[in-house]
Amino acid sequence: MSEGKRVTTKVSAEEINRQYKYIEDIKQYNQDIAMKAGKAARYSIETFGCQMNENDSERLAGMLCEMGYSECEVRSDSDLIIFNTCCVRENAEQKVYGHLGALKRLKDTNSKLIIAVCGCMMQQPEVVAHITKTYRHVDIIFGTHNLYKLPELLNTVITTGKTVTDVWDSTGSIAENMPISRKEKIKAWVTVMYGCNNFCSYCIVPYVRGRERSRSLDEIRKEVGELAKEGCKEITLLGQNVNSYGKDLEGDFTFARLLRELDKIEGIERIRFMTSHPKDLSEDLIYAIRDCSKVCEHLHLPVQSGSSKILEDMNRKYTKEKYLGLIDKVKEQIPDIGLTTDIIVGFPGESEEDFRETLEVVSKAEYDMAYTFLYSKRTGTPAAKNPNQVSEDVMKDRFERLLELQNSISLRINNNLLGEEVEVLVEGLSKNSDTTYTGRTRQNKIVNFKGSPDLVGKLVKVKVDTIQTWSLKGRLVQ
Ligand code: 5AD
Ligand code: SF4
């Protein structure tokens, strides 16, 4: 083992088995209830935030299915309601409080209802204190590091009727071999690493998700192999900063190597990943994207700001020039790359000049799409203490200008695809239609077209005939 290397461990098999024992107990309990009531217990999970949370919710759902719960679309018909929360921006938190308030009435009419809250928000002690005090109808509070303990926590509430709060600091361990129930069959999220070591000065994630922990290559390979056998065609590898993959593992593991290994798995047609931090985007990774036939030509590379001064204040560890240099290198090696980014508008101290540099980078990088955010002050982060907070009016004005520029670029790029044939992985029916199917190109563009059910899960060619800012329409090429 190289000096100073921290080795990520797994939650012990004994501990996992203990949870399976609770799963069995609750399954029995639910069966007894179902016999009496004539219907199975039902759960609903509402997920806030990123894909990582979506993937965590699939794990919660997996455990609940094993416990005999079935999924329920309607909150008011559920016996168990879980909110998997996000705290990256303030409005995500406010939404959760709003929903929690609304649940009081449900609990008043159904005292058997169990309400659980988990996820990133719960890793902040002041949030737990607020929920405990204000939303007394909540039964279970747990965090991001002990998600796998849901069976035990649920069992405690069922057997004692008391509220349980169990939030941990990171233990540096990863729970493997717990059940999972995925929403989709064709595409799947696969988390490859947890946590973040970067401490961007605006961001709460490193405080609530702990330090970087990579799953072992074998575990990831096993999961992807099983997915392939189940008919999954596309995987998206998830991590706050996938480029750090393997740094905490014993041996020579890098994200580029992981991609090369997963590229060999038969049955999987496409591999995507997010998110990459520009400071760690290696040449080797660029070559891996270029060389691996299944790895899609799509890179999500958050720039956050185009001003080197703001980037320094954000603790991003790259300059505008270095970022643009990277983009050039990526485009040189992978000319048909689809590029997307995250941008924060109104970081403390951002001047009009700084903002114009962001517009300049957006123009030069020519992103297919940008996820744009108003800066949100997160207590506990260094940026929250910065006295030069940007006023809301200025922020909103800049936000609109950025959106306008990006929309025009997205439209222009899409326009180049008019009349082109693109490869689409068919995902299913598009919303509110019986005949229009939807899928994505390798560059991650949404394409809608008239199709049939037998095409779902297949790669088809579509000739693009209509352009929109966020999606394309076309006709199947027979
Ligand atoms: N305010 C606004 N946006 C934020 N993000 C992270 N923290 C904040 C914040 N405090 C954005 C970043 C990140 C994305 C997931 O969320 O752009 O890349
Ligand atoms: Fe937050 Fe920065 Fe880590 Fe992304 S890399 S999760 S923005 S601290």
Side-chain angles (χ1 to χ4, degrees):
M1 190 169 87
S2 66
E3 208 187 323
K5 207 164 199 180
R6 188 175 54 79
V7 177
T8 294
T9 55
K10 282 193 219 171
V11 175
S12 71
E14 203 181 5
E15 174 60 16
I16 297 294
N17 287 340
R18 229 165 56 78
Q19 297 307 319
Y20 271 102
K21 165 93 179 42
Y22 288 116
I23 287 179
E24 279 310 311
D25 290 351
I26 297 175
K27 191 173 172 183
Q28 190 60 56
Y29 168 83
N30 276 336
Q31 270 170 2
D32 294 346
I33 300 253
M35 289 276 277
K36 283 187 210 133
K39 61 181 167 79
R42 294 191 285 177
Y43 76 88
S44 71
I45 301 176
E46 292 180 41
T47 310
F48 300 82
C50 65
Q51 289 85 359
M52 202 84 129
N53 266 13
E54 295 285 350
N55 192 221
D56 280 349
S57 289
E58 291 178 334
R59 283 174 208 289
L60 295 171
M63 290 184 261
L64 293 171
C65 290
E66 295 272 321
M67 288 184 252
Y69 286 92
S70 62
E71 195 184 0
C72 178
E73 300 286 330
V74 186
R75 196 196 276 176
S76 54
D77 292 344
S78 305
D79 303 283
L80 166 66
I81 298 173
I82 303 183
F83 286 155
N84 189 4
T85 65
C86 166
C87 59
V88 88
R89 283 171 290 276
E90 196 189 349
N91 55 3
E93 291 198 344
Q94 292 311 329
K95 264 192 224 161
V96 170
Y97 287 134
H99 286 295
L100 277 183
L103 286 190
K104 170 93 172 62
R105 218 167 27 87
L106 273 185
K107 184 85 175 191
D108 286 344
T109 54
N110 174 12
S111 61
K112 289 263 186 310
L113 171 66
I114 296 177
I115 299 171
V117 280
C118 63
C120 295
M121 266 174 88
M122 304 309 131
Q123 293 297 137
Q124 305 171 94
E126 64 280 11
V127 169
V128 173
H130 181 59
I131 291 180
T132 314
K133 189 166 153 233
T134 316
Y135 303 96
R136 302 179 73 93
H137 48 290
V138 169
D139 300 287
I140 308 176
I141 300 174
F142 61 118
T144 58
H145 301 297
N146 59 348
L147 198 95
Y148 70 92
K149 274 190 73 183
L150 175 67
E152 183 176 354
L153 304 177
L154 205 48
N155 185 67
T156 307
V157 171
I158 290 170
T159 52
T160 69
K162 293 204 176 106
T163 301
V164 202
T165 301
D166 194 13
V167 180
W168 299 357
D169 286 336
S170 175
T171 58
S173 295
I174 293 178
E176 296 286 2
N177 301 318
M178 291 300 287
I180 182 159
S181 167
R182 291 187 154 91
K183 280 225 167 80
E184 295 184 67
K185 290 277 167 277
I186 306 300
K187 305 196 294 182
W189 310 114
V190 177
T191 300
V192 299
M193 58 182 305
Y194 299 87
C196 179
N197 290 356
N198 292 317
F199 290 94
C200 299
S201 65
Y202 50 81
C203 186
I204 194 89
V205 169
Y207 304 89
V208 297
R209 285 274 177 179
R211 295 296 66 73
E212 289 172 355
R213 288 142 3 249
S214 306
R215 290 178 69 199
S216 77
L217 175 61
D218 284 345
E219 290 288 354
I220 299 169
R221 216 171 7 206
K222 193 170 100 195
E223 182 172 355
V224 176
E226 280 161 11
L227 281 164
K229 278 196 206 114
E230 289 160 15
C232 173
K233 300 292 175 201
E234 177 179 303
I235 53 163
T236 301
L237 309 177
L238 296 178
Q240 306 297 347
N241 177 18
V242 289
N243 298 347
S244 297
Y245 175 78
K247 285 185 183 163
D248 56 318
L249 294 176
E250 197 175 345
D252 189 18
F253 294 103
T254 63
F255 188 59
R257 180 176 163 206
L258 177 67
L259 287 181
R260 290 183 199 278
E261 294 288 342
L262 298 181
D263 201 53
K264 297 178 197 155
I265 297 180
E266 237 173 88
I268 298 294
E269 303 276 5
R270 289 176 167 187
I271 301 173
R272 302 185 185 280
F273 60 89
M274 66 193 313
T275 294
S276 294
H277 193 306
K279 82 175 165 61
D280 307 309
L281 184 78
S282 65
E283 280 190 359
D284 196 21
L285 176 58
I286 299 175
Y287 300 148
I289 305 171
R290 182 194 63 189
D291 300 340
C292 295
S293 64
K294 295 175 182 174
V295 176
C296 289
E297 295 73 28
H298 171 221
L299 183 64
H300 183 64
L301 197 64
V303 64
Q304 312 296 3
S305 167
S307 150
S308 296
K309 177 194 167 288
I310 295 294
L311 286 170
E312 190 174 351
D313 291 351
M314 286 179 161
N315 194 29
R316 291 288 290 177
K317 302 195 170 74
Y318 53 86
T319 59
K320 166 170 114 178
E321 289 73 24
K322 177 144 185 270
Y323 182 89
L324 286 171
L326 262 181
I327 297 279
D328 284 346
K329 213 182 282 177
V330 170
K331 285 186 175 171
E332 188 187 298
Q333 295 297 325
I334 316 155
D336 54 346
I337 192 87
L339 277 177
T340 55
T341 199
D342 291 345
I343 300 171
I344 298 176
V345 173
F347 180 84
E350 182 190 73
S351 65
E352 174 62 22
E353 191 44 43
D354 293 318
F355 176 65
R356 287 205 185 137
E357 290 195 73
T358 299
L359 296 180
E360 183 199 330
V361 168
V362 167
S363 297
K364 287 195 171 146
E366 296 196 291
Y367 299 110
D368 290 74
M369 197 156 104
Y371 299 89
T372 49
F373 306 105
L374 292 169
Y375 167 73
S376 173
K377 195 170 164 177
R378 303 287 58 209
T379 309
T381 62
K385 296 190 201 94
N386 189 319
N388 303 317
Q389 301 288 323
V390 176
S391 79
E392 214 166 302
D393 285 353
V394 171
M395 252 203 267
K396 286 192 173 148
D397 173 66
R398 288 180 189 166
F399 189 85
E400 291 303 320
R401 286 156 63 201
L402 175 61
L403 217 59
E404 203 176 310
L405 173 65
Q406 181 53 48
N407 285 352
S408 69
I409 295 169
S410 298
L411 207 55
R412 194 173 71 224
I413 295 176
N414 285 353
N415 215 36
N416 290 337
L417 290 169
L418 207 55
E420 295 290 313
E421 276 181 22
V422 290
E423 184 201 84
V424 176
L425 176 64
V426 187
E427 292 172 18
L429 274 172
S430 103
K431 267 186 212 144
N432 312 322
S433 172
D434 304 333
T435 52
T436 303
Y437 283 75
T438 190
R440 283 172 190 261
T441 65
R442 288 177 65 91
Q443 286 73 14
N444 212 31
K445 289 191 187 294
I446 296 171
V447 183
N448 295 313
F449 58 95
K450 294 274 178 233
S452 49
D454 54 302
L455 297 179
V456 175
K458 301 221 165 73
L459 292 169
V460 298
K461 287 261 186 283
V462 175
K463 187 165 179 167
V464 177
D465 60 19
T466 312
I467 297 298
Q468 286 163 332
T469 315
W470 311 116
S471 63
L472 312 169
K473 282 186 193 161
R475 257 172 304 144
L476 261 180
V477 179
Q478 301 295 341

PDB file of all heavy atoms in Angstrom, residues 395-416:
ATOM      1  N   MET A 395     -28.300  39.345  -9.396  1.00  0.00           N
ATOM      2  CA  MET A 395     -28.156  37.911  -9.680  1.00  0.00           C
ATOM      3  C   MET A 395     -29.160  37.471 -10.730  1.00  0.00           C
ATOM      4  O   MET A 395     -28.830  36.779 -11.688  1.00  0.00           O
ATOM      5  CB  MET A 395     -28.449  37.123  -8.397  1.00  0.00           C
ATOM      6  CG  MET A 395     -27.230  36.523  -7.781  1.00  0.00           C
ATOM      7  SD  MET A 395     -27.632  35.139  -6.730  1.00  0.00           S
ATOM      8  CE  MET A 395     -27.795  35.877  -5.154  1.00  0.00           C
ATOM      9  N   LYS A 396     -30.421  37.884 -10.534  1.00  0.00           N
ATOM     10  CA  LYS A 396     -31.478  37.435 -11.444  1.00  0.00           C
ATOM     11  C   LYS A 396     -31.274  37.970 -12.842  1.00  0.00           C
ATOM     12  O   LYS A 396     -31.503  37.269 -13.830  1.00  0.00           O
ATOM     13  CB  LYS A 396     -32.854  37.824 -10.894  1.00  0.00           C
ATOM     14  CG  LYS A 396     -33.214  36.932  -9.728  1.00  0.00           C
ATOM     15  CD  LYS A 396     -34.653  37.054  -9.330  1.00  0.00           C
ATOM     16  CE  LYS A 396     -34.965  36.006  -8.269  1.00  0.00           C
ATOM     17  NZ  LYS A 396     -35.978  36.436  -7.316  1.00  0.00           N
ATOM     18  N   ASP A 397     -30.831  39.239 -12.921  1.00  0.00           N
ATOM     19  CA  ASP A 397     -30.571  39.835 -14.226  1.00  0.00           C
ATOM     20  C   ASP A 397     -29.468  39.054 -14.956  1.00  0.00           C
ATOM     21  O   ASP A 397     -29.596  38.714 -16.132  1.00  0.00           O
ATOM     22  CB  ASP A 397     -30.172  41.313 -14.030  1.00  0.00           C
ATOM     23  CG  ASP A 397     -29.719  41.930 -15.333  1.00  0.00           C
ATOM     24  OD1 ASP A 397     -30.585  42.054 -16.231  1.00  0.00           O
ATOM     25  OD2 ASP A 397     -28.507  42.248 -15.469  1.00  0.00           O
ATOM     26  N   ARG A 398     -28.399  38.741 -14.233  1.00  0.00           N
ATOM     27  CA  ARG A 398     -27.298  37.986 -14.852  1.00  0.00           C
ATOM     28  C   ARG A 398     -27.769  36.600 -15.268  1.00  0.00           C
ATOM     29  O   ARG A 398     -27.398  36.084 -16.328  1.00  0.00           O
ATOM     30  CB  ARG A 398     -26.122  37.866 -13.859  1.00  0.00           C
ATOM     31  CG  ARG A 398     -25.413  39.192 -13.690  1.00  0.00           C
ATOM     32  CD  ARG A 398     -24.262  39.098 -12.715  1.00  0.00           C
ATOM     33  NE  ARG A 398     -23.765  40.445 -12.438  1.00  0.00           N
ATOM     34  CZ  ARG A 398     -22.958  40.752 -11.443  1.00  0.00           C
ATOM     35  NH1 ARG A 398     -22.541  39.828 -10.598  1.00  0.00           N
ATOM     36  NH2 ARG A 398     -22.551  41.996 -11.275  1.00  0.00           N
ATOM     37  N   PHE A 399     -28.571  35.996 -14.428  1.00  0.00           N
ATOM     38  CA  PHE A 399     -29.097  34.656 -14.698  1.00  0.00           C
ATOM     39  C   PHE A 399     -29.851  34.643 -16.033  1.00  0.00           C
ATOM     40  O   PHE A 399     -29.634  33.778 -16.884  1.00  0.00           O
ATOM     41  CB  PHE A 399     -30.025  34.251 -13.550  1.00  0.00           C
ATOM     42  CG  PHE A 399     -30.468  32.822 -13.595  1.00  0.00           C
ATOM     43  CD1 PHE A 399     -29.675  31.814 -13.060  1.00  0.00           C
ATOM     44  CD2 PHE A 399     -31.686  32.473 -14.159  1.00  0.00           C
ATOM     45  CE1 PHE A 399     -30.083  30.484 -13.094  1.00  0.00           C
ATOM     46  CE2 PHE A 399     -32.104  31.156 -14.206  1.00  0.00           C
ATOM     47  CZ  PHE A 399     -31.302  30.164 -13.671  1.00  0.00           C
ATOM     48  N   GLU A 400     -30.713  35.655 -16.213  1.00  0.00           N
ATOM     49  CA  GLU A 400     -31.494  35.751 -17.455  1.00  0.00           C
ATOM     50  C   GLU A 400     -30.589  35.924 -18.669  1.00  0.00           C
ATOM     51  O   GLU A 400     -30.802  35.302 -19.713  1.00  0.00           O
ATOM     52  CB  GLU A 400     -32.466  36.948 -17.395  1.00  0.00           C
ATOM     53  CG  GLU A 400     -33.613  36.785 -16.411  1.00  0.00           C
ATOM     54  CD  GLU A 400     -34.442  35.540 -16.676  1.00  0.00           C
ATOM     55  OE1 GLU A 400     -34.685  35.234 -17.858  1.00  0.00           O
ATOM     56  OE2 GLU A 400     -34.805  34.851 -15.703  1.00  0.00           O
ATOM     57  N   ARG A 401     -29.584  36.777 -18.518  1.00  0.00           N
ATOM     58  CA  ARG A 401     -28.673  37.016 -19.653  1.00  0.00           C
ATOM     59  C   ARG A 401     -27.908  35.745 -20.006  1.00  0.00           C
ATOM     60  O   ARG A 401     -27.689  35.425 -21.175  1.00  0.00           O
ATOM     61  CB  ARG A 401     -27.690  38.143 -19.316  1.00  0.00           C
ATOM     62  CG  ARG A 401     -28.370  39.527 -19.354  1.00  0.00           C
ATOM     63  CD  ARG A 401     -27.636  40.541 -18.501  1.00  0.00           C
ATOM     64  NE  ARG A 401     -26.289  40.823 -18.940  1.00  0.00           N
ATOM     65  CZ  ARG A 401     -25.337  41.361 -18.135  1.00  0.00           C
ATOM     66  NH1 ARG A 401     -25.619  41.647 -16.868  1.00  0.00           N
ATOM     67  NH2 ARG A 401     -24.155  41.617 -18.605  1.00  0.00           N
ATOM     68  N   LEU A 402     -27.485  35.021 -18.998  1.00  0.00           N
ATOM     69  CA  LEU A 402     -26.755  33.773 -19.218  1.00  0.00           C
ATOM     70  C   LEU A 402     -27.646  32.752 -19.936  1.00  0.00           C
ATOM     71  O   LEU A 402     -27.223  32.102 -20.902  1.00  0.00           O
ATOM     72  CB  LEU A 402     -26.284  33.213 -17.868  1.00  0.00           C
ATOM     73  CG  LEU A 402     -25.592  31.850 -17.892  1.00  0.00           C
ATOM     74  CD1 LEU A 402     -24.331  31.881 -18.737  1.00  0.00           C
ATOM     75  CD2 LEU A 402     -25.237  31.399 -16.474  1.00  0.00           C
ATOM     76  N   LEU A 403     -28.872  32.661 -19.456  1.00  0.00           N
ATOM     77  CA  LEU A 403     -29.823  31.709 -20.045  1.00  0.00           C
ATOM     78  C   LEU A 403     -30.055  32.008 -21.522  1.00  0.00           C
ATOM     79  O   LEU A 403     -30.071  31.115 -22.372  1.00  0.00           O
ATOM     80  CB  LEU A 403     -31.141  31.827 -19.279  1.00  0.00           C
ATOM     81  CG  LEU A 403     -31.915  30.551 -19.056  1.00  0.00           C
ATOM     82  CD1 LEU A 403     -31.061  29.550 -18.281  1.00  0.00           C
ATOM     83  CD2 LEU A 403     -33.195  30.838 -18.269  1.00  0.00           C
ATOM     84  N   GLU A 404     -30.218  33.304 -21.802  1.00  0.00           N
ATOM     85  CA  GLU A 404     -30.473  33.723 -23.184  1.00  0.00           C
ATOM     86  C   GLU A 404     -29.311  33.323 -24.094  1.00  0.00           C
ATOM     87  O   GLU A 404     -29.508  32.758 -25.164  1.00  0.00           O
ATOM     88  CB  GLU A 404     -30.652  35.245 -23.196  1.00  0.00           C
ATOM     89  CG  GLU A 404     -31.429  35.749 -24.375  1.00  0.00           C
ATOM     90  CD  GLU A 404     -31.632  37.256 -24.260  1.00  0.00           C
ATOM     91  OE1 GLU A 404     -32.078  37.721 -23.182  1.00  0.00           O
ATOM     92  OE2 GLU A 404     -31.296  37.941 -25.223  1.00  0.00           O
ATOM     93  N   LEU A 405     -28.093  33.579 -23.605  1.00  0.00           N
ATOM     94  CA  LEU A 405     -26.920  33.231 -24.407  1.00  0.00           C
ATOM     95  C   LEU A 405     -26.851  31.714 -24.608  1.00  0.00           C
ATOM     96  O   LEU A 405     -26.671  31.229 -25.734  1.00  0.00           O
ATOM     97  CB  LEU A 405     -25.639  33.731 -23.717  1.00  0.00           C
ATOM     98  CG  LEU A 405     -24.332  33.273 -24.375  1.00  0.00           C
ATOM     99  CD1 LEU A 405     -24.185  33.859 -25.778  1.00  0.00           C
ATOM    100  CD2 LEU A 405     -23.125  33.671 -23.512  1.00  0.00           C
ATOM    101  N   GLN A 406     -27.001  30.972 -23.516  1.00  0.00           N
ATOM    102  CA  GLN A 406     -26.882  29.518 -23.619  1.00  0.00           C
ATOM    103  C   GLN A 406     -27.956  28.939 -24.538  1.00  0.00           C
ATOM    104  O   GLN A 406     -27.687  28.053 -25.339  1.00  0.00           O
ATOM    105  CB  GLN A 406     -26.921  28.867 -22.227  1.00  0.00           C
ATOM    106  CG  GLN A 406     -26.788  27.356 -22.265  1.00  0.00           C
ATOM    107  CD  GLN A 406     -25.560  26.878 -23.046  1.00  0.00           C
ATOM    108  OE1 GLN A 406     -24.451  27.373 -22.850  1.00  0.00           O
ATOM    109  NE2 GLN A 406     -25.760  25.933 -23.969  1.00  0.00           N
ATOM    110  N   ASN A 407     -29.180  29.459 -24.417  1.00  0.00           N
ATOM    111  CA  ASN A 407     -30.259  28.948 -25.275  1.00  0.00           C
ATOM    112  C   ASN A 407     -29.924  29.154 -26.747  1.00  0.00           C
ATOM    113  O   ASN A 407     -30.182  28.276 -27.575  1.00  0.00           O
ATOM    114  CB  ASN A 407     -31.587  29.645 -24.947  1.00  0.00           C
ATOM    115  CG  ASN A 407     -32.166  29.120 -23.647  1.00  0.00           C
ATOM    116  OD1 ASN A 407     -31.651  28.151 -23.074  1.00  0.00           O
ATOM    117  ND2 ASN A 407     -33.219  29.747 -23.170  1.00  0.00           N
ATOM    118  N   SER A 408     -29.367  30.299 -27.059  1.00  0.00           N
ATOM    119  CA  SER A 408     -29.055  30.558 -28.468  1.00  0.00           C
ATOM    120  C   SER A 408     -27.956  29.600 -28.941  1.00  0.00           C
ATOM    121  O   SER A 408     -27.985  29.119 -30.078  1.00  0.00           O
ATOM    122  CB  SER A 408     -28.656  32.018 -28.691  1.00  0.00           C
ATOM    123  OG  SER A 408     -27.397  32.265 -28.092  1.00  0.00           O
ATOM    124  N   ILE A 409     -27.012  29.275 -28.060  1.00  0.00           N
ATOM    125  CA  ILE A 409     -25.939  28.342 -28.439  1.00  0.00           C
ATOM    126  C   ILE A 409     -26.514  26.933 -28.613  1.00  0.00           C
ATOM    127  O   ILE A 409     -26.209  26.231 -29.587  1.00  0.00           O
ATOM    128  CB  ILE A 409     -24.796  28.352 -27.396  1.00  0.00           C
ATOM    129  CG1 ILE A 409     -24.112  29.724 -27.391  1.00  0.00           C
ATOM    130  CG2 ILE A 409     -23.785  27.246 -27.664  1.00  0.00           C
ATOM    131  CD1 ILE A 409     -23.150  29.954 -26.241  1.00  0.00           C
ATOM    132  N   SER A 410     -27.364  26.524 -27.652  1.00  0.00           N
ATOM    133  CA  SER A 410     -27.965  25.168 -27.735  1.00  0.00           C
ATOM    134  C   SER A 410     -28.715  25.018 -29.038  1.00  0.00           C
ATOM    135  O   SER A 410     -28.603  23.999 -29.741  1.00  0.00           O
ATOM    136  CB  SER A 410     -28.939  24.929 -26.578  1.00  0.00           C
ATOM    137  OG  SER A 410     -28.267  24.995 -25.354  1.00  0.00           O
ATOM    138  N   LEU A 411     -29.474  26.054 -29.377  1.00  0.00           N
ATOM    139  CA  LEU A 411     -30.275  26.016 -30.596  1.00  0.00           C
ATOM    140  C   LEU A 411     -29.375  25.932 -31.832  1.00  0.00           C
ATOM    141  O   LEU A 411     -29.635  25.175 -32.770  1.00  0.00           O
ATOM    142  CB  LEU A 411     -31.147  27.274 -30.639  1.00  0.00           C
ATOM    143  CG  LEU A 411     -32.447  27.195 -31.406  1.00  0.00           C
ATOM    144  CD1 LEU A 411     -33.312  26.047 -30.918  1.00  0.00           C
ATOM    145  CD2 LEU A 411     -33.231  28.499 -31.267  1.00  0.00           C
ATOM    146  N   ARG A 412     -28.292  26.711 -31.797  1.00  0.00           N
ATOM    147  CA  ARG A 412     -27.373  26.719 -32.947  1.00  0.00           C
ATOM    148  C   ARG A 412     -26.722  25.336 -33.137  1.00  0.00           C
ATOM    149  O   ARG A 412     -26.637  24.822 -34.250  1.00  0.00           O
ATOM    150  CB  ARG A 412     -26.293  27.784 -32.717  1.00  0.00           C
ATOM    151  CG  ARG A 412     -25.509  28.103 -33.967  1.00  0.00           C
ATOM    152  CD  ARG A 412     -24.579  29.267 -33.751  1.00  0.00           C
ATOM    153  NE  ARG A 412     -23.465  28.933 -32.890  1.00  0.00           N
ATOM    154  CZ  ARG A 412     -23.001  29.699 -31.905  1.00  0.00           C
ATOM    155  NH1 ARG A 412     -23.566  30.852 -31.630  1.00  0.00           N
ATOM    156  NH2 ARG A 412     -21.976  29.328 -31.172  1.00  0.00           N
ATOM    157  N   ILE A 413     -26.302  24.741 -32.021  1.00  0.00           N
ATOM    158  CA  ILE A 413     -25.670  23.411 -32.115  1.00  0.00           C
ATOM    159  C   ILE A 413     -26.685  22.396 -32.635  1.00  0.00           C
ATOM    160  O   ILE A 413     -26.386  21.589 -33.516  1.00  0.00           O
ATOM    161  CB  ILE A 413     -25.110  22.960 -30.739  1.00  0.00           C
ATOM    162  CG1 ILE A 413     -23.977  23.883 -30.291  1.00  0.00           C
ATOM    163  CG2 ILE A 413     -24.634  21.514 -30.796  1.00  0.00           C
ATOM    164  CD1 ILE A 413     -23.418  23.586 -28.915  1.00  0.00           C
ATOM    165  N   ASN A 414     -27.900  22.470 -32.095  1.00  0.00           N
ATOM    166  CA  ASN A 414     -28.929  21.518 -32.538  1.00  0.00           C
ATOM    167  C   ASN A 414     -29.258  21.706 -34.011  1.00  0.00           C
ATOM    168  O   ASN A 414     -29.544  20.746 -34.724  1.00  0.00           O
ATOM    169  CB  ASN A 414     -30.200  21.672 -31.689  1.00  0.00           C
ATOM    170  CG  ASN A 414     -30.011  21.067 -30.309  1.00  0.00           C
ATOM    171  OD1 ASN A 414     -28.999  20.429 -30.049  1.00  0.00           O
ATOM    172  ND2 ASN A 414     -30.985  21.255 -29.441  1.00  0.00           N
ATOM    173  N   ASN A 415     -29.219  22.933 -34.440  1.00  0.00           N
ATOM    174  CA  ASN A 415     -29.508  23.246 -35.829  1.00  0.00           C
ATOM    175  C   ASN A 415     -28.567  22.515 -36.789  1.00  0.00           C
ATOM    176  O   ASN A 415     -28.964  22.109 -37.879  1.00  0.00           O
ATOM    177  CB  ASN A 415     -29.409  24.755 -36.037  1.00  0.00           C
ATOM    178  CG  ASN A 415     -30.426  25.214 -37.041  1.00  0.00           C
ATOM    179  OD1 ASN A 415     -31.540  24.671 -37.086  1.00  0.00           O
ATOM    180  ND2 ASN A 415     -30.055  26.158 -37.875  1.00  0.00           N
ATOM    181  N   ASN A 416     -27.333  22.314 -36.337  1.00  0.00           N
ATOM    182  CA  ASN A 416     -26.361  21.592 -37.169  1.00  0.00           C
ATOM    183  C   ASN A 416     -26.765  20.143 -37.383  1.00  0.00           C
ATOM    184  O   ASN A 416     -26.227  19.466 -38.241  1.00  0.00           O
ATOM    185  CB  ASN A 416     -24.978  21.608 -36.506  1.00  0.00           C
ATOM    186  CG  ASN A 416     -24.375  22.996 -36.527  1.00  0.00           C
ATOM    187  OD1 ASN A 416     -24.749  23.821 -37.358  1.00  0.00           O
ATOM    188  ND2 ASN A 416     -23.458  23.267 -35.605  1.00  0.00           N
TER     189      ASN A 416
END
